[in-house]
Amino acid sequence: MNNDGNTTPTGVWFVGARGSVATTAVAGCAAVTAGLRPPTGMVTETPPFDGTGLPALASLVFGGHDVADSPLPKRAEHLTDAGVLPHGLASAVHAELLAAEKETRFGGPLPDDPRDDEELVADLAADLTSFRTRNELARVVVVNVASTEPAPAPDALRLPPSSLYAAAALRAGCPYVNFTPSTGLRTPPLTKAAAAAGLPHAGRDGKTGQTLLRAALAPMFVQRALHVRAWSGTNLLGGGDGAALADPGAAAAKNAGKARVLTETLGHTPEGEVHIDDVPALGDWKTAWDHIAFEGFLGARMVLQTTWQGCDSALAAPLVLDLARLVARAHEAGLSGPLPELGFYFKDPDGGPAGLPEQFTALLAFADRLRRAG
C-alpha cells in the first residue's frame, strides 16, 4: 500500500452522498485506512503512484449533498444485506460513516423548491465553503456520483441538477469530477466559466463494467485487423441505477458513452444497440451481455460473446477515491482545465486517446508529472 501521501486534510464532497457509490467509498476508505481491508481496485495505491504527493487516504474528509434522507450508517447496513459490504464492516467504520453523515446537506432542487437557479447555486456553494472552513481543509474536490439524469431539452429554461452542482463547485473554487453521464459542466456557459475559474476538472461517466470490457476488447480487433460487423449488448440491473435508467432519456445518456468507446476505438460504428432493463430483484448487482460479430480472413464470420456480472458500487468506489486524490493533487500542483490524462477512468473523457492501453499509459505519464511537481 502506498503510504507516502500528503497528510494535509482534503475534502471530498459527493453529490449523491447517501447513494451506494458514495457510501461504499466512505466505508472503503475507512476500512483501508484502518488496515481492515486491502485497497483492491485502487490504481493510485499501486507502485507507479508512489511519491506523487497524492492526499493520504487518512487525510480525506467526506461530506456532500443529497435529496434522499436515509443516513449513511443505515445505507451501509442495506449494502451489507445486499452483499456489497462485508459483514461487520459497517459496524467497524460506524464512526467514519456518522462523521460523513454529519457533513451531508440537503441539495436540490427539491419538490416545490422556490429557489431559482442563481439562489440554488449560491446556497450549494455556501455549503461547500462552510465545509472547507469548518474542517480547515486545504481544498475540496466535488465528485458527482448521483443518479443519471436525462439530457436537458435544447429549450430548457433551467439548468439540470448536475449543472447546478457543477456551477456551485466553480463558484466555491472547488475542482470538479463528473463520474456520471449527466450534463455537469458541459453547457456552453459552464464550459466558459470553468475555463475562467482556473480549476482542474475531469469527466464524464465512470468506466466500471461493460464499457471497461469493451475498451479492453475493441483494441484487440483493431490490432489484429479483424473487422467488427456488429456489437450488441444487454444490461440487467436493479437498485437506484436500475430505477433511474428505466427513464428512456437517462438510458440514452448512458448508452451514448458505451457507443462512443466503440466508434472511437474501431474507427466506425458497428451495428447493434445496448438495452438496459430494470430488474429490482438484482439490487446493487448487474449482469451485462455482449454479442460481437466479427469477420476474419477470407470473410470468415465469427462471434465472441461475453458475460460480466458485478457490483457497480464496489467497482466504482475505488475509482472515485482515485479521482478525488488525483484531481486534488492536480489542483495543489497548479494545474487547471480539463484533465484528458484521466480518460482511463471515463467513457466520455475530456480528450486524450480512446484505447484503454493508451489511456493507462497517459495516466502513468500524469503520475510522473505530479511527481515532478514536487
Side-chain angles (χ1 to χ4, degrees):
M1 179 173 151
N2 178 9
N3 291 309
D4 65 346
N6 187 338
T7 58
T8 304
T10 298
V12 179
W13 188 269
F14 287 125
V15 179
R18 295 187 175 112
S20 297
V21 173
T23 304
T24 304
V26 173
C29 183
V32 172
T33 298
L36 301 176
R37 292 281 166 169
T40 305
M42 289 194 66
V43 180
T44 54
E45 286 293 306
T46 60
F49 292 85
D50 290 346
T52 53
L54 301 181
L57 290 174
S59 76
L60 301 182
V61 180
F62 296 99
H65 282 120
D66 209 317
V67 294
D69 57 7
S70 177
L72 267 74
K74 180 60 69 175
R75 183 64 181 152
E77 292 177 10
H78 292 160
L79 291 173
T80 301
D81 293 340
V84 179
L85 299 181
H87 285 285
L89 183 63
S91 296
V93 299
H94 179 80
E96 290 85 351
L97 289 166
L98 189 60
E101 173 61 29
K102 290 180 178 178
E103 292 291 355
T104 299
R105 302 290 180 266
F106 278 100
L110 300 168
D112 302 320
D113 199 322
R115 295 171 292 180
D116 61 21
D117 283 2
E118 171 58 30
E119 292 170 323
L120 187 52
V121 169
D123 288 347
L124 298 175
D127 287 338
L128 289 165
T129 301
S130 176
F131 174 65
R132 181 171 54 211
T133 302
R134 186 168 56 254
N135 291 284
E136 300 180 340
L137 304 172
R139 57 192 47 83
V140 177
V141 179
V142 175
V143 185
N144 182 16
V145 290
S147 296
T148 300
E149 65 189 20
D155 58 350
L157 299 178
R158 297 194 64 169
L159 289 172
S162 65
S163 295
L164 295 171
Y165 287 110
L170 296 180
R171 183 168 301 188
C174 298
Y176 175 78
V177 176
N178 188 3
F179 202 71
T180 80
S182 301
T183 304
L185 288 175
R186 294 194 184 180
T187 71
L190 287 184
T191 299
K192 183 177 179 180
L199 296 165
H201 55 88
R204 163 174 82 162
D205 197 4
K207 188 161 54 190
T208 59
Q210 183 182 47
T211 308
L212 175 65
L213 187 62
R214 288 178 165 212
L217 287 176
M220 175 190 72
F221 290 101
V222 174
Q223 292 160 6
R224 293 297 296 268
L226 298 170
H227 177 65
V228 176
R229 301 171 52 246
W231 199 316
S232 302
T234 295
N235 281 267
L236 308 179
L237 67 161
D241 272 353
L245 295 174
D247 181 314
K254 187 75 171 177
N255 285 337
K258 294 179 181 289
R260 185 178 296 105
V261 168
L262 296 181
T263 299
E264 293 182 353
T265 305
L266 298 175
H268 71 282
T269 303
E271 295 178 9
E273 298 179 352
V274 175
H275 298 276
I276 299 177
D277 293 331
D278 178 23
V279 185
L282 294 179
D284 287 274
W285 299 81
K286 81 171 188 179
T287 296
W289 294 306
D290 275 64
H291 184 283
I292 308 160
F294 64 99
E295 189 173 281
F297 194 50
L298 305 179
R301 293 191 172 186
M302 295 167 271
V303 169
L304 170 65
Q305 298 182 53
T306 67
T307 302
W308 176 284
Q309 293 179 305
C311 172
D312 261 1
S313 300
L315 290 164
L319 307 186
V320 165
L321 293 172
D322 277 353
L323 285 163
R325 301 171 82 196
L326 288 163
V327 174
R329 176 66 177 118
H331 186 235
E332 180 187 37
L335 305 183
S336 63
L339 299 175
E341 301 92 337
L342 301 186
F344 176 73
Y345 292 98
F346 298 105
K347 297 183 183 73
D348 183 16
D350 298 304
L356 194 66
E358 293 80 9
Q359 289 176 336
F360 188 61
T361 298
L363 178 63
L364 296 182
F366 186 65
D368 287 339
R369 183 181 181 187
L370 296 179
R371 193 176 292 109
R372 293 193 302 269

